[in-house]
Amino acid sequence: MSIFGSMSVGISGLQAQSTALSNISDNIANAQTTGFKRIDTSFESLVISASNTQYQAGGVQASPNYVNNVSGTISTSDTPTNIAIRGNGFFSVSKLTTVNGTTTASTERFYTRDGSFSLNSSRTLVNNSGFALNGFSYDSTTGLYATSATPVQVQSDIDSPVPTKEIDLKANLPTDPSGGITPTQIQVYDSAGTAHNLNLSWRQGNTDGTWQLGVTADGSQGSQPIQSLLNTGFPAAITESSLLTGKNDRAQVDDVTFATAAVAPAYGFNVGDSYSVVVNGTTYSQNITTANAAQFSGMKDIAQALADKINGADTSSGVLATVTSTGALRLAAKTPGTPFTLDQSVNAGAITTHTSTDTLVQTATATTPEIHTSTFVGNTINIDDVYSMNVNGTTYSVTVTPQNLGSLSNINGVVQKLASLINVDTGTTGLTATPSNGTVTVKGGNGVTFTQSSSAVDSAGLTNTATQSTYVGNTTGSKEVEKISITGQPGDVGTSYSFTVQSPQAKSVLPVEQLNAGAPTTYTYDFATPYGATTAPQVGQLYSVSLGSSTYNIQMTNSNIANYPDVQSVITDLASRVTADTNSPFTVQSSAGGVLTLQTKANDATLSTTQNLPPSFSQAITYTTDGTETSLADISGKIAAKINAISGIPVQATSSGGTITLTGNTDAAAFYTSIPGGSSASTPGVVVGKTPGHINLTFGGSLSDGTTAQAGTLSHMDTSSIGTGNATVSADQSANAAAQVGFDFDFGYGLQHIVLNLGNFGQSSGLTQFDGTNINVTSKVQDGSPAGTFKDVQINADGTVLANYDNGRQRTIAKVPIVLFNNPDALSRSTGNVFTETVDSGKARFNDTGVNGAGDIASSSLEGSNVDIASEFTQLIVAQRSYTANTKVITTADDLLQDTINLKR
């Protein structure tokens, strides 16, 4: 090889490294370019000639090495139309050209990994380099994709409305509804995209496990799925019954009698006695002392003292105390109907026993007087004690009374009194009595003799008692209660319930009072005359007896009228009620012939004869259903509210279930209810309305194929109660068959058929009836939609391009293919990070994502460059050094040539 050959080889080396530097710089410049594929450099030696004896070098040649099949890093993007390929393949794109405002796509095909697509002004998906994404357009009419790829463009600004065709409902109806079932409302759309509320109403049927489904829609006209009202309604009834007859409060009256069992006592009490009553836990006592004994002359006075204490400053006793003519302490409750407790006791004082001793102290002589002494032993004296002395046949006595007890004080007072009686008696002239320490000394004149004796008779041993007796027993008043019961089917229209609340028909029967001196008083009530002895009682009549604070009523009602064929039977029952009231102050004397005679338990007693008759009133009540009622409780509640809104009737109404309870405003306020028609009407008090049309649903039981449905699942549907409606149900109602209800609505654009899917027969896949108190709707989905305006575009992982509209619908626009090549590294590069097909790359093959080795699409993602900066910098250093080395070859060859030239010199 010549020196010139060496220079040529060095120059080729410089050229090759320059090419490598160019590729490296291009890689580094596009390190951040989306989808960019790096270019490596390959070096190839050049040989001019070569043999075993000779080699002539030709240098080196550099060529690009395209790395198109190596993916870059994929990262997420905020733009939903940015896409990347995860795996092999390319996007097909077209170059757009705009001429005179018209944009067209070139016929030349380009391919890229740059997925930075977004919508341009014409709603075509283009990337940052301006190339349009190609895809197979979708034909919504045929449901097919085109066979050739064209630029993906959203051409429809408006999504046409879709009328509702099907509704899928999943819900559970309760087994024990607490009230009305909330209607299920579903929004459906007509052909013009107008929304309408489709209403599903639910009512329990007459038997367990049955329901009635109603279907209406707002804005529909003409033929309806279900006739609004059938010609007949469900049976209904109203009945009344009396639960409790009212009665007035009656005050408790009790007597406490203090008495002694001693034999013929003058006063019956003694010092030290304590007389007590305990009223509602408070004790009131009267103690007998020497100081206060003069206030009392007997047990009646003691009773009065206790009454004064009870009625005194202490007002908490709850009773009023008086003393009867017989001396009993009478306690009457201040508040009728409020009972009180009562106890009583007597603690007797101690009785002192006394004795007397007579002594002849000195016998009379001519010069000395005769002296006698009478000594009484026992210092304390008792009421009713009798102390006596007999002097010369004359008796002198001192009886201890409550009035002189204080002045006598003790036995010394007694002997002083006896001495004074002897001294003032002119029949004892010449005798002188002297008292001292319980002894009376009597002294006569000289030579005068006389006789003297004494005695002490103690108060009888007192065994005083206190006994309690009920004069009038307490009665707690109560209010009259009547019950109205209704039956029927909630939701029926025009069912009328009627009854009348009115005062009973009472006649005043004033008693004839017969006073019987020293015997009970009688009161005679003649019911036979005003009511008729042989006339049968009538519903609404009131038979009443009032005497003192006691009142007894018998009211004729529908439920008890059969027990009273005549007036005598009523009076007999009244008499039995008086007899049963053992705490009343009177008893039944006779009750024959419709005349009731009562007599007081006490002699000479008189009682008030005022008769308590109810005020007159009458109010008719009628309630007619309008179909909005959801339960019998709802109907009874509205009837109760209507009663309570009426003034002038003395009752209040409450409701529970299908029952209205009427309660008097005050105790013993009498009233009764009557139902129009009575027993002569087939449905007294009721006008049967009309039932809204409905579809019958049955849960549980047997299916049409003879199998048994699971508990709580649909087993049967029928349209026997839809009247002239157009609704239909599934013909096949065997196990697992689809449970469907079909119906037509006309919203102004002709009949629109809608199918309501309720799951499957015998399966808990749609509509069920399990435990609960209200309906639980878990899903209600319909397939209609209103018109929509274009919102945005999204590209799914399978390459499907969807246009989203503000009505919530999506429309398929196209499908993006993944393009494969046999040799992707042989593709030809063009400006804009695109490639074109070459002979070496092979033909483009369009595939769906994930098919035949094609990669998948990552939505909202971008693929970065596959350039490795570190590697590129390393190769840059190598190229630089290689370039420098080649320059050394050239400079060395130049030095050699210079030396060769210098040989001539």
Side-chain angles (χ1 to χ4, degrees):
M1 181 180 194
S2 64
I3 294 174
F4 286 107
S6 297
M7 293 186 70
S8 296
V9 170
I11 291 171
S12 69
L14 291 176
Q15 291 174 338
Q17 296 305 320
S18 296
T19 300
L21 286 171
S22 175
N23 291 341
I24 292 170
S25 62
D26 191 37
N27 289 342
I28 294 174
N30 286 283
Q32 297 300 316
T33 301
T34 302
F36 178 78
K37 303 303 176 184
R38 76 175 186 270
I39 305 173
D40 293 340
T41 304
S42 297
F43 296 95
E44 181 182 4
S45 63
L46 297 176
V47 178
I48 296 176
S49 63
S51 65
N52 292 333
T53 59
Q54 182 182 8
Y55 177 76
Q56 187 174 355
V60 64
Q61 176 179 311
S63 61
N65 182 18
Y66 299 107
V67 190
N68 298 336
N69 62 342
V70 176
S71 299
T73 302
I74 295 177
S75 59
T76 59
S77 168
D78 292 334
T79 304
T81 52
N82 287 171
I83 53 177
I85 298 175
R86 189 180 287 107
N88 298 326
F90 296 84
F91 297 117
S92 172
V93 293
S94 296
K95 188 173 185 179
L96 299 179
T97 303
T98 302
V99 178
N100 295 327
T102 301
T103 301
T104 58
S106 64
T107 57
E108 185 179 6
R109 295 285 187 181
F110 296 92
Y111 308 95
T112 187
R113 296 276 291 197
D114 180 4
S116 59
F117 298 106
S118 60
L119 293 177
N120 66 5
S121 59
S122 63
R123 292 206 183 96
T124 300
L125 285 171
V126 297
N127 63 15
N128 292 338
S129 299
F131 286 87
L133 175 65
N134 291 326
F136 299 116
S137 61
Y138 180 74
D139 187 341
S140 59
T141 303
T142 63
L144 300 175
Y145 290 99
T147 56
S148 60
T150 56
V152 177
Q153 182 181 25
V154 180
Q155 298 178 343
S156 178
D157 291 338
I158 302 297
D159 180 47
S160 299
V162 177
T164 299
K165 294 181 180 178
E166 290 197 18
I167 301 171
D168 293 331
L169 178 66
K170 293 182 179 180
N172 181 67
L173 292 167
T175 55
D176 186 23
S178 58
I181 301 301
T182 304
T184 303
Q185 194 172 79
I186 304 171
Q187 194 172 66
V188 298
Y189 297 91
D190 61 22
S191 299
T194 303
H196 301 270
N197 288 326
L198 185 142
N199 307 296
L200 304 177
S201 61
W202 312 94
R203 295 195 303 164
Q204 276 191 300
N206 286 332
T207 57
D208 291 341
T210 61
W211 286 82
Q212 300 169 2
L213 169 61
V215 183
T216 60
D218 301 344
S220 64
Q221 58 190 20
S223 176
Q224 298 295 318
I226 297 172
Q227 183 178 328
S228 58
L229 292 175
L230 303 179
N231 293 329
T232 59
F234 282 94
I238 180 171
T239 57
E240 62 85 20
S241 59
S242 178
L243 300 182
L244 182 65
T245 301
K247 56 184 177 181
N248 285 317
D249 289 325
R250 186 173 69 181
Q252 176 182 345
V253 181
D254 282 359
D255 289 345
V256 176
T257 302
F258 298 105
T260 180
V263 179
Y267 297 97
F269 61 90
N270 221 316
V271 172
D273 286 356
S274 179
Y275 298 85
S276 301
V277 291
V278 183
V279 181
N280 287 332
T282 301
T283 301
Y284 304 89
S285 297
Q286 180 60 57
N287 298 322
I288 308 301
T289 67
T290 301
N292 68 14
Q295 302 175 18
F296 309 104
S297 60
M299 294 297 180
K300 186 174 182 180
D301 291 339
I302 295 174
Q304 186 61 59
L306 285 170
D308 292 341
K309 290 186 176 184
I310 294 171
N311 296 334
D314 182 7
T315 59
S316 63
S317 65
V319 299
L320 179 65
T322 58
V323 177
T324 67
S325 59
T326 59
L329 174 63
R330 176 162 291 175
L331 304 176
K334 292 181 179 179
T335 304
T338 301
F340 60 87
T341 60
L342 178 63
D343 196 6
Q344 61 287 322
S345 64
V346 175
N347 292 319
I351 301 296
T352 301
T353 302
H354 300 86
T355 60
S356 65
T357 304
D358 299 312
T359 304
L360 175 61
V361 178
Q362 181 175 292
T363 303
T365 67
T367 59
T368 60
E370 187 166 302
I371 300 174
H372 291 263
T373 60
S374 294
T375 301
F376 296 90
V377 178
N379 185 57
T380 303
I381 58 177
N382 310 303
I383 297 174
D384 284 331
D385 284 355
V386 179
Y387 302 91
S388 301
M389 291 180 65
N390 186 283
V391 180
N392 272 343
T394 301
T395 300
Y396 305 94
S397 296
V398 174
T399 300
V400 182
T401 69
Q403 288 68 36
N404 66 17
L405 177 64
S407 60
L408 295 176
S409 182
N410 53 32
I411 197 65
N412 288 326
V414 173
V415 297
Q416 288 176 3
K417 182 65 175 177
L418 286 170
S420 67
L421 291 175
I422 295 171
N423 289 333
V424 298
D425 186 1
T426 58
T428 59
T429 302
L431 298 180
T432 303
T434 303
S436 177
N437 295 325
T439 300
V440 178
T441 301
V442 180
K443 180 179 180 182
N446 292 338
V448 178
T449 61
F450 61 90
T451 60
Q452 180 176 320
S453 63
S454 64
S455 66
V457 180
D458 291 325
S459 173
L462 302 181
T463 54
N464 292 351
T465 59
T467 57
Q468 175 187 344
S469 62
T470 298
Y471 182 65
V472 179
N474 176 76
T475 299
T476 301
S478 61
K479 298 176 181 179
E480 181 161 341
V481 180
E482 299 229 356
K483 180 175 71 175
I484 301 293
S485 300
I486 61 172
T487 61
Q489 182 63 40
D492 278 10
V493 177
T495 299
S496 177
Y497 298 93
S498 299
F499 59 94
T500 299
V501 182
Q502 57 193 338
S503 57
Q505 303 157 18
K507 297 181 180 180
S508 179
V509 179
L510 291 175
V512 176
E513 183 182 57
Q514 179 65 50
L515 297 175
N516 302 301
T521 303
T522 61
Y523 295 89
T524 301
Y525 297 80
D526 180 4
F527 288 92
T529 300
Y531 285 99
T534 59
T535 303
Q538 302 296 315
V539 172
Q541 287 182 339
L542 178 69
Y543 295 79
S544 180
V545 169
S546 295
L547 187 58
S549 59
S550 302
T551 298
Y552 307 90
N553 291 327
I554 295 181
Q555 183 171 309
M556 300 296 105
T557 66
N558 286 323
S559 58
N560 71 7
I561 189 67
N563 300 329
Y564 303 106
D566 51 29
V567 171
Q568 178 56 50
S569 62
V570 179
I571 304 311
T572 299
D573 197 359
L574 270 176
S576 67
R577 297 188 184 195
V578 175
T579 300
D581 184 8
T582 57
N583 290 328
S584 67
F586 44 81
T587 59
V588 176
Q589 188 181 51
S590 65
S591 60
V595 177
L596 178 65
T597 301
L598 307 178
Q599 68 176 11
T600 61
K601 293 178 179 178
N603 295 335
D604 300 320
T606 59
L607 300 170
S608 170
T609 59
T610 302
Q611 300 304 292
N612 298 319
L613 298 180
S616 178
F617 67 90
S618 178
Q619 179 66 55
I621 307 294
T622 298
Y623 179 79
T624 303
T625 61
D626 58 12
T628 62
E629 298 83 7
T630 56
S631 63
L632 286 176
D634 189 10
I635 297 174
S636 65
K638 291 178 177 179
I639 294 174
K642 188 170 185 178
I643 294 171
N644 293 335
I646 300 173
S647 60
I649 55 176
V651 299
Q652 287 293 308
T654 59
S655 66
S656 176
T659 300
I660 304 101
T661 300
L662 304 178
T663 305
N665 288 344
T666 59
D667 290 348
F671 64 92
Y672 80 101
T673 56
S674 61
I675 296 175
S679 59
S680 62
S682 58
T683 55
V686 169
V687 176
V688 177
K690 295 183 177 181
T691 299
H694 57 270
I695 297 168
N696 294 306
L697 308 176
T698 303
F699 293 87
S702 299
L703 295 162
S704 62
D705 57 5
T707 61
T708 301
Q710 296 181 25
T713 63
L714 270 173
S715 61
H716 176 74
M717 298 191 300
D718 68 66
T719 57
S720 60
S721 299
I722 66 170
T724 58
N726 59 46
T728 60
V729 296
S730 302
D732 181 6
Q733 298 189 11
S734 60
N736 298 320
Q740 296 179 326
V741 177
F743 38 80
D744 296 325
F745 286 112
D746 186 353
F747 297 112
Y749 306 98
L751 290 178
Q752 179 176 332
H753 187 68
I754 299 176
V755 174
L756 176 64
N757 296 311
L758 300 177
N760 302 88
F761 286 101
Q763 300 294 322
S764 56
S765 56
L767 185 64
T768 57
Q769 186 198 18
F770 295 129
D771 184 47
T773 58
N774 209 330
I775 188 171
N776 180 27
V777 179
T778 57
S779 174
K780 49 181 181 179
V781 179
Q782 58 86 40
D783 60 358
S785 65
T789 303
F790 174 74
K791 182 180 178 183
D792 56 32
V793 168
Q794 73 180 60
I795 303 174
N796 291 340
D798 64 351
T800 303
V801 182
L802 300 174
N804 294 322
Y805 295 84
D806 60 7
N807 61 357
R809 273 176 41 87
Q810 293 180 324
R811 178 178 292 185
T812 302
I813 302 300
K815 193 167 190 178
V816 177
I818 302 298
V819 183
L820 299 177
F821 293 93
N822 292 336
N823 183 12
D825 290 342
L827 291 170
S828 176
R829 295 195 177 210
S830 296
T831 301
N833 202 14
V834 295
F835 303 91
T836 57
E837 179 184 307
T838 66
V839 173
D840 292 335
S841 69
K843 293 291 185 181
R845 293 180 285 112
F846 289 76
N847 296 273
D848 288 340
T849 59
V851 178
N852 298 326
D856 295 320
I857 289 180
S859 301
S860 299
S861 302
L862 288 174
E863 180 185 356
S865 167
N866 65 357
V867 173
D868 183 351
I869 292 295
S871 176
E872 296 301 323
F873 279 138
T874 300
Q875 294 183 37
L876 179 63
I877 294 171
V878 172
Q880 179 188 10
R881 295 302 184 190
S882 297
Y883 190 92
T884 301
N886 280 292
T887 60
K888 280 295 185 180
V889 171
I890 295 174
T891 57
T892 301
D894 181 59
D895 289 343
L896 292 174
L897 286 174
Q898 187 63 44
D899 289 344
T900 302
I901 292 171
N902 290 338
L903 291 175
K904 293 173 61 178
R905 300 176 182 171

